[in-house]
Amino acid sequence: MNGLNRRSVIALGGAGLTQYILQAAVAPPEAVASTARNGISVSDQLLTSLQSTTDALRQADASHGSGNLARAATAHLKVLLRFLKEGDFNEATGRRLAAVTADTAIQTGWYHFDSGAHTVAHNLLVGALRAAHASGDSRLRAGALSFIAIHGYSAGDPRDAVTAARTARQVIADQDAPALHAMLLTRQARGHARLREDRQARTALEEAQALCARGRGEDDPHWLYWINPGEIMGQTGSCLLDLDRPDQAAQAFADARNALSSDEIRTRAQFLSRAATAQMRAGDVDAGSATGHEVLALVSGVRSARLDDNLDTMLAEARRYSSATPAQELVERGQAVMEERAA
């Protein structure tokens, strides 16, 4: 296995992040056949089982957050890396093994990021991009880049988010994947919003809405389950909040809430916490407090550092209006909830 067997899948080489991102659009796949002496035989049945584990963890994250998943996903990823290093497989099976590894590394990176371990997440996501190269599946390359974009606009340089999302769209230019393109556009928009690039953010969001309206394409990947009108409007609200347009953000979140799945509790809580912040910033303390109480009722059992950050922001906004009874009640309840979450 010429490349992946000699170097760790979860390490970045000498190139800087921006250069590494741009290389994702042009680098050819590596050879992945392996004839390890006395190696573990890697079968299609085994790979189907390993992919099922990755998919099950992904669904658990949508409902309950990543706090309880990062360790399990890391152990699962180590198994896959061991197969890459010591397995016995042909070229076709090797590419599929690299694909499962890339998908798992993407998810493991996300779980660590959502748990607040940003450096670990960054390294995993860069490694996932390398494994995605070896798989030959451009959609997985786009997937890894999409999560690198989240890291950029949330904890790094928003310009990296824009570069990663744009590069990912170039990578899948030949794919019939409107949902995947729409997701990438929302992440590009979030980067623009953090950079205070209002026009570029709005343009990306409008294109994302149009693509989402087309429905899923023939090449949209199975792992992209969360793109729907509610997600697009929720991301629109987040961009408008970053652009200091709280009244418009509140309306976007209101449009989003009815389209969000009740099963995806973590996602719903994330958007509603931002909605409460937007409502209060727009001056509607009563509505913001009511939405805040709704959020606090959702979060029991959901473990997510990103959600905690949003809750802190929401409660900080409520404290600005603590002379109003609804806001004071929200702050008191919120403090109790956050103490319980910390414990």
Side-chain angles (χ1 to χ4, degrees):
M1 187 168 177
N2 296 342
L4 280 167
N5 196 36
R6 290 198 301 265
R7 289 174 291 181
S8 170
V9 164
I10 55 173
L12 173 63
L17 180 58
T18 298
Q19 181 181 354
Y20 197 82
I21 289 170
L22 293 173
Q23 287 175 344
V26 296
E30 300 180 43
V32 291
S34 174
T35 55
R37 181 176 297 179
N38 299 320
I40 305 168
S41 179
V42 179
S43 66
D44 286 341
Q45 182 180 8
L46 175 61
L47 290 176
T48 297
S49 177
L50 292 166
Q51 180 67 62
S52 295
T53 299
T54 300
D55 291 338
L57 291 171
R58 186 177 4 247
Q59 291 298 325
D61 169 62
S63 297
H64 303 297
S66 61
N68 300 320
L69 298 177
R71 187 176 299 178
T74 299
H76 181 45
L77 178 60
K78 286 180 179 178
V79 170
L80 286 157
L81 293 173
R82 180 65 64 184
F83 284 134
L84 282 170
K85 183 178 181 180
E86 300 179 0
D88 183 1
F89 45 83
N90 59 25
E91 182 77 14
T93 302
R95 295 218 180 278
R96 188 179 174 199
L97 174 57
V100 179
T101 303
D103 188 12
T104 303
I106 291 168
Q107 289 305 307
T108 305
W110 164 249
Y111 302 149
H112 281 280
F113 182 79
D114 193 45
S115 299
H118 294 164
T119 300
V120 174
H122 176 270
N123 292 336
L124 284 163
L125 292 171
V126 170
L129 184 56
R130 177 172 170 76
H133 269 301
S135 77
D137 188 338
S138 62
R139 299 168 302 175
L140 282 169
R141 278 191 280 169
L145 287 166
S146 77
F147 283 94
I148 289 173
I150 293 180
H151 188 282
Y153 70 68
S154 299
D157 188 337
R159 291 172 294 186
D160 289 337
V162 174
T163 299
R166 283 177 169 167
T167 302
R169 293 200 68 206
Q170 294 173 7
V171 164
I172 59 165
D174 61 343
Q175 300 281 338
D176 174 27
L180 184 53
H181 277 281
M183 181 268 284
L184 292 167
L185 281 161
T186 64
R187 298 187 179 180
Q188 180 181 329
R190 293 294 300 275
H192 285 308
R194 286 294 172 94
L195 293 167
R196 315 292 294 174
E197 296 173 346
D198 189 306
R199 179 180 58 81
Q200 294 92 326
R202 288 175 179 272
T203 297
L205 290 167
E206 288 170 1
E207 188 173 355
Q209 290 173 9
L211 285 166
C212 182
R214 284 177 50 190
R216 296 185 65 84
E218 182 177 342
D219 298 320
D220 273 315
H222 80 281
W223 44 262
L224 186 65
Y225 64 88
W226 65 89
I227 290 298
N228 55 45
E231 169 71 16
I232 303 299
M233 291 309 301
Q235 294 294 349
T236 298
S238 295
C239 287
L240 291 167
L241 201 54
D242 285 340
L243 291 166
D244 290 335
R245 299 177 182 272
D247 52 343
Q248 296 177 31
Q251 182 57 57
F253 285 125
D255 293 340
R257 66 178 300 153
N258 292 331
L260 293 171
S261 170
S262 59
D263 295 333
E264 296 168 23
I265 301 171
R266 193 270 312 279
T267 299
R268 192 174 186 85
Q270 290 273 31
F271 280 154
L272 288 178
S273 64
R274 295 174 194 159
T277 299
Q279 288 168 325
M280 286 185 280
R281 285 185 186 172
D284 194 342
V285 179
D286 289 348
S289 299
T291 303
H293 281 290
E294 187 177 351
V295 173
L296 295 177
L298 281 175
V299 299
S300 178
V302 179
R303 295 289 173 259
S304 165
R306 291 173 71 248
L307 176 57
D308 287 345
D309 287 344
N310 283 330
L311 294 174
D312 283 336
T313 300
M314 178 186 78
L315 294 173
E317 196 66 32
R319 289 187 188 97
R320 295 179 55 207
Y321 304 96
S322 58
S323 60
T325 300
Q328 179 61 38
E329 291 174 347
L330 176 63
V331 169
E332 291 173 358
R333 182 182 179 188
Q335 287 175 336
V337 168
M338 296 306 288
E339 288 171 4
E340 181 181 343
R341 291 176 69 79

